[in-house]
Amino acid sequence: MDIKSMKNYLYWLYCQFELITCSYLMEPWEKLLFYTFNITMLVTVLYTAYVFVPVHVSTAFQFFLHLLGNQHESTVSVVK
Amino acid sequence: NPIVHNGGLYKRPFNEAFEETPMLVAVLTYVGYGVLTLFGYLRDFMRQWKIEKCQNATEREEQKDFVPLYQDFENFYNRNLYMRIRDSWNRPICSVPGAKVDMMERVSHDYNWTFTYTGRVIKDIINMGSYNYLGFAQKAGTCQEAAAKVLSQYGAGVCSTRQEMGNLDKHEELEKLVARFLGVESAMAYGMGFATNSMNIPALVGKGCLILSDELNHASLVLGARLSGATIRIFKHNNMQSLEKLLKDAIVHGQPRTRRPWKKILILVEGIYSMEGSIVRLPEVIALKKKYKSYLYLDEAHSIGALGPSGRGVVEYFGLSPEDVDVMMGTFTKSFGAAGGYIGGKKELIDYLRTYSHSAVYATSLSPPVVEQIITSMKCIMGEDGTTVGKARVQQLAENTRYFRRRLKEMGFIIYGNEDSPVVPLMLYMPAKIGAFGREMLKRNIGVVVVGFPATPIIESRARFCLSAAHTKEMLDTALKEINEVGDLLQLKYSRHRLVPLLDRPFDETTYEETED
């Protein structure tokens, strides 16, 4: 029963997507074109995120750590 | 100042609300239109390069080098957006448009470019789209019997104009009755409601006169104003501050170049605006008219028979005197179940119009059975046929209106307009929902009218319900249940219960405001 209501909910979400982007009104080949374009863009964005985001996040983390680490040492020496 | 402190002018609360479009909904509507526009350009490109067969009207090969006929936005919209959802309009009905109607089923195999009839007739569709406010669109009853009798006496055709041989005794009887119904000195009836406006305004005003017309006036009023040759100035919809400013400017500055005073200033308003469901602020308009000595033309197409305790229209609804309105115009199409229009006013005015109106001189007069339908239904409303059927219908309409509007607001839809107007616009906003709403309601056996771009602003598309005294509570409950279901399916319940307080009035106890976070 949970699976069925989940499936109904997902189908309802898909209907809302169709209504908002007006793909409800499109002919089948237009829908194919539109969905292909959208899914291609989405896949590209996700792949780029998968490849590049960890590298960027760790670089940024190291940069900020370095910055804060230096500051912390210098303040400690002044107080002492 | 009697105009600002409206507590003195209004004898009853004036509850009108136009909820603001939610920001997310507006953005998503533009997204939808953007996607459709891109696909429209793609399809136009394919049609141009003959990749796809061109099924719409184009110029001939020899005319391709001339000024293009179909390149403007209206035609682009027509080809690429309207054609996709065209099956919600021009639906052929095959019975009397009462509370329930029969419709011929049709399918399209090439995405609405052509339709074929399956031969099946969908029966007993609840009719929420016909202008049948008092339920006089009937095929049996006193009106129908009287009209049939007159048909066998006079025939159907008149074969002449009013001024030649088309002036029947039935027309005289009708005009005396209409004058008595409205409480004016004299009235004149015409064959077509649209022609009443467009052909009589040029007879009343001309060059050197000023017309102050509401923003959302009907096409017939706009056409009549333009044909007359007078200067037209537009004031914001139902906004009395805007109207007063225009009147002041007109009196102070006069005509544009010569600074002479205007020959006449005519204010054009409607009783009920059918796209918004709003009612004109008549007490304030009359106060302004008297203060600045101008004339008032009131188009009661939708409000005659539908408002007021005895159905005499918006003048009775506000408790005002019909002598304050200079020209009272209305139509017989909506509440009387017939066709045609009338103009009522002082005797001198109507006698002038009998001679100088284009419609009186050139248009065929009303057909006798139609005249008899109007006479019988008007007598029924006034109670002169000896029964209380008319009064019961007027009260039933008022009850239906209040009930329907309250239930829709409680469900969470955005409804425009005044609490007492029988025209109920329900906002849809997104283009795909226009088509989806029409189709889903028809699947559930309810016929609605959906309205989109040229008739409304581009993001404010709506479904317009017209209530009728012929709708029983069970029919309304069925309709409301289905609307609720479709509203959940298409997610149309946008209302955040935050009604914008009417901006052009100070807040007092007659303003209806509710904020709920």
Side-chain angles (χ1 to χ4, degrees):
Chain A
M1 276 303 107
D2 207 26
I3 303 290
K4 192 170 192 305
S5 65
M6 196 58 166
K7 274 201 334 205
N8 279 345
Y9 180 66
L10 286 175
Y11 180 68
W12 180 82
L13 272 184
Y14 169 67
C15 283
Q16 296 309 307
F17 171 78
E18 265 199 334
L19 283 173
I20 290 174
T21 56
C22 299
S23 46
Y24 173 84
L25 301 175
M26 293 181 194
E27 299 174 24
W29 63 269
E30 286 173 334
K31 259 196 209 174
L32 187 70
L33 198 66
F34 186 62
Y35 287 163
T36 314
F37 177 74
N38 274 3
I39 292 177
T40 315
M41 292 303 292
L42 191 68
V43 165
T44 314
V45 164
L46 285 175
Y47 178 70
T48 316
Y50 173 73
V51 167
F52 285 109
V53 163
V55 177
H56 282 166
V57 164
S58 66
T59 318
F61 185 65
Q62 275 177 9
F63 174 74
F64 280 115
L65 197 64
H66 179 69
L67 197 68
L68 287 171
N70 265 353
Q71 260 194 1
H72 185 68
E73 276 175 26
S74 58
T75 48
V76 163
S77 62
V78 163
V79 164
K80 274 202 180 136
Chain B
N1 191 353
I3 300 154
V4 174
H5 299 294
N6 41 45
L9 287 173
Y10 287 85
K11 300 188 181 83
R12 55 188 299 158
F14 189 82
N15 298 334
E16 198 164 275
F18 297 96
E19 193 173 328
E20 226 181 67
T21 312
M23 176 65 79
L24 182 64
V25 173
V27 168
L28 293 176
T29 312
Y30 282 123
V31 164
Y33 274 113
V35 169
L36 280 177
T37 315
L38 285 174
F39 275 94
Y41 282 134
L42 177 70
R43 298 293 291 270
D44 276 350
F45 174 77
M46 287 170 56
R47 282 188 205 112
Q48 171 91 1
W49 285 87
K50 310 276 193 291
I51 305 174
E52 184 193 359
K53 187 166 93 106
C54 182
Q55 284 162 311
N56 57 295
T58 43
E59 302 105 322
R60 299 208 323 259
E61 276 306 313
E62 303 86 43
Q63 295 170 332
K64 288 275 187 216
D65 293 326
F66 292 2
V67 173
L69 289 173
Y70 301 106
Q71 295 287 70
D72 55 345
F73 181 67
E74 300 264 336
N75 283 300
F76 177 83
Y77 180 87
N78 197 35
R79 279 195 299 270
N80 298 312
L81 278 83
Y82 174 68
M83 280 298 169
R84 292 181 195 266
I85 45 178
R86 197 162 78 117
D87 56 314
S88 302
W89 290 287
N90 294 329
R91 290 184 184 150
I93 61 174
C94 49
S95 78
V96 66
K100 291 204 169 164
V101 71
D102 301 336
M103 204 180 284
M104 297 189 61
E105 199 188 18
R106 54 181 188 169
V107 290
S108 173
H109 299 290
D110 53 357
Y111 302 101
N112 292 348
W113 287 97
T114 56
F115 291 104
T116 47
Y117 295 109
T118 58
R120 204 171 75 94
V121 169
I122 314 176
K123 289 208 166 287
D124 289 335
I125 297 179
I126 298 181
N127 187 359
M128 307 290 300
S130 290
Y131 303 132
N132 185 18
Y133 298 133
L134 292 177
F136 280 112
Q138 294 165 310
K139 55 184 182 187
T142 43
C143 297
Q144 182 265 337
E145 284 160 21
K149 190 153 151 294
V150 165
L151 180 65
S152 60
Q153 231 179 323
Y154 287 83
V158 184
C159 311
S160 187
T161 67
R162 277 308 283 278
Q163 282 197 354
E164 294 172 11
M165 287 279 283
N167 192 16
L168 307 175
D169 55 345
K170 280 278 163 214
H171 293 133
E172 303 276 332
E173 191 191 330
L174 172 66
E175 286 173 1
K176 288 202 185 69
L177 184 64
V178 169
R180 213 151 39 86
F181 181 72
L182 297 172
V184 292
E185 282 179 26
S186 170
M188 182 166 180
Y190 302 92
M192 184 177 159
F194 190 100
T196 312
N197 271 335
S198 51
M199 297 293 118
N200 284 306
I201 298 180
L204 294 172
V205 289
K207 270 173 89 97
C209 302
L210 177 65
I211 290 184
L212 297 173
S213 147
D214 190 292
E215 212 179 8
L216 300 175
N217 266 340
H218 190 250
S220 56
L221 290 164
V222 171
L223 184 63
R226 286 183 190 169
L227 277 177
S228 66
T231 313
I232 309 176
R233 303 222 171 118
I234 315 282
F235 63 92
K236 296 207 186 66
H237 177 58
N238 234 1
N239 188 333
M240 296 299 115
Q241 276 73 20
S242 174
L243 177 60
E244 189 171 11
K245 182 169 179 318
L246 283 180
L247 277 165
K248 275 190 189 151
D249 285 342
I251 304 282
V252 164
H253 297 298
Q255 299 192 28
R257 258 183 326 108
T258 57
R259 299 289 188 216
R260 289 204 199 126
W262 294 101
K263 283 195 215 154
K264 253 180 278 199
I265 303 181
L266 185 67
I267 306 175
L268 293 182
V269 286
E270 288 188 38
I272 293 185
Y273 291 90
S274 64
M275 278 304 150
E276 311 282 311
S278 52
I279 300 182
V280 67
R281 293 174 191 277
L282 199 59
E284 293 178 53
V285 173
I286 288 185
L288 279 174
K289 169 195 103 95
K290 285 184 179 157
K291 180 173 171 185
Y292 292 99
K293 297 200 179 36
S294 51
Y295 298 99
L296 180 60
Y297 185 105
L298 179 65
D299 177 346
E300 286 204 89
H302 287 269
S303 54
I304 192 77
L307 285 182
S310 66
R312 309 285 165 118
V314 71
V315 170
E316 198 200 11
Y317 174 75
F318 285 112
L320 299 166
S321 157
E323 288 168 357
D324 288 333
V325 180
D326 302 292
V327 189
M328 289 182 70
M329 178 266 171
T331 59
F332 300 119
T333 325
K334 279 93 185 182
S335 299
F336 301 99
Y342 65 84
I343 289 198
K346 295 261 183 316
K347 190 166 182 315
E348 295 87 35
L349 172 73
I350 303 296
D351 287 341
Y352 176 82
L353 281 178
R354 279 186 214 278
T355 328
Y356 286 96
S357 155
H358 297 289
S359 197
V361 179
Y362 297 108
T364 316
S365 39
L366 282 158
S367 176
V370 172
V371 172
E372 186 59 30
Q373 159 82 17
I374 303 168
I375 291 177
T376 322
S377 56
M378 205 175 265
K379 283 194 175 145
C380 182
I381 297 174
M382 295 205 286
E384 284 179 11
D385 58 345
T387 65
T388 52
V389 167
K391 196 141 174 70
R393 282 183 196 224
V394 174
Q395 279 170 351
Q396 178 71 27
L397 176 66
E399 263 178 50
N400 283 356
T401 307
R402 277 195 294 269
Y403 177 65
F404 197 74
R405 276 180 170 267
R406 187 176 55 83
R407 284 288 303 273
L408 281 180
K409 285 219 176 86
E410 279 169 14
M411 286 181 196
F413 294 101
I414 295 186
I415 307 288
Y416 273 10
N418 197 303
E419 290 283 308
D420 291 316
S421 97
V423 178
V424 185
L426 188 151
M427 302 308 288
L428 299 172
Y429 298 114
M430 297 179 200
K433 294 192 186 181
I434 308 175
F437 191 78
R439 288 176 203 160
E440 292 294 320
M441 292 303 280
L442 189 58
K443 270 190 219 161
R444 291 164 172 76
N445 248 20
I446 301 185
V448 295
V449 169
V450 287
V451 202
F453 166 57
T456 64
I458 195 154
I459 52 165
E460 288 170 25
S461 53
R462 56 201 75 172
R464 190 183 62 174
F465 301 105
C466 291
L467 296 165
S468 165
H471 286 138
T472 60
K473 194 152 180 301
E474 289 77 35
M475 282 187 219
L476 287 185
D477 284 333
T478 323
L480 283 163
K481 187 168 82 66
E482 304 295 353
I483 295 171
N484 198 10
E485 222 176 275
V486 174
D488 282 329
L489 181 69
L490 302 179
Q491 217 193 19
L492 292 171
K493 299 188 179 177
Y494 303 119
S495 178
R496 293 166 301 180
H497 289 291
R498 198 169 303 150
L499 299 163
V500 176
L502 307 171
L503 294 169
D504 52 0
R505 304 152 50 114
F507 180 74
D508 57 7
E509 75 274 358
T510 59
T511 311
Y512 179 66
E513 182 189 322
E514 181 197 309
T515 47
E516 196 188 293
D517 284 334

